[in-house]
Amino acid sequence: MAVANPSPQLQLLTGWLYKRGPTVDFAWKRRWCVLLPSALECYADDACQQKVGAVLLGPRSRAVAFSAAGAPGDCIKHSALRPCGFAVDVDPVSGRHRRLHYFDPGDGTSLQTWTAALAVAANTQAHAARDYIAS
């Protein structure tokens, strides 16, 4: 299925990340990721012709390094083999059984870049929600 390329004007960050499925039974797969203000989209390659997933972001979304104290879900299980990985927690107040999304950029600089950009996206969502409520 062909998908329209995301608008370059909306892209906050792009790059290769390894992504794991929702449980430890899933393999890590290399994906081209495009961070937009409202979602982290994953593609089969950098041509962005085949979208293979998306993580919809909200005002409470956050990215947490696997090595961070109190990191959620399976982060501790991955921190030894993927020390530069992070989890995207779309809604941290949704309870213990919420879905987490696991990524690994492969190096510490990229980890900082991706987590900072995800914070910007969440902040954009928070401002949009406040603007909507105020109108």
Side-chain angles (χ1 to χ4, degrees):
M1 170 173 86
V3 176
N5 290 342
S7 171
Q9 292 84 8
L10 297 177
Q11 297 176 5
L12 300 175
L13 186 62
T14 62
W16 289 105
L17 295 173
Y18 284 90
K19 182 180 185 322
R20 195 206 77 185
T23 68
V24 292
D25 298 327
F26 286 78
W28 290 89
K29 295 184 180 178
R30 190 171 184 238
R31 300 292 187 210
W32 181 256
C33 295
V34 177
L35 179 59
L36 305 169
S38 61
L40 177 57
E41 297 182 342
C42 301
Y43 294 87
D45 59 35
D46 58 358
C48 298
Q49 296 300 308
Q50 181 184 1
K51 187 191 290 187
V52 294
V55 178
L56 299 179
L57 303 172
R60 292 188 293 249
S61 297
R62 65 186 181 128
V64 182
F66 289 170
S67 59
D74 291 339
C75 290
I76 192 76
K77 295 177 184 177
H78 299 303
S79 61
L81 293 176
R82 296 195 175 270
C84 298
F86 63 92
V88 175
D89 191 349
V90 175
D91 192 2
V93 299
S94 292
R96 282 185 47 205
H97 300 292
R98 67 191 182 275
R99 181 161 181 202
L100 300 169
H101 305 270
Y102 300 96
F103 295 90
D104 181 11
D107 66 81
T109 300
S110 296
L111 169 61
Q112 291 176 349
T113 301
W114 278 98
T115 55
L118 281 153
V120 168
N123 192 38
T124 300
Q125 292 299 306
H127 284 294
R130 281 193 295 270
D131 291 347
Y132 177 77
I133 291 169
S135 63

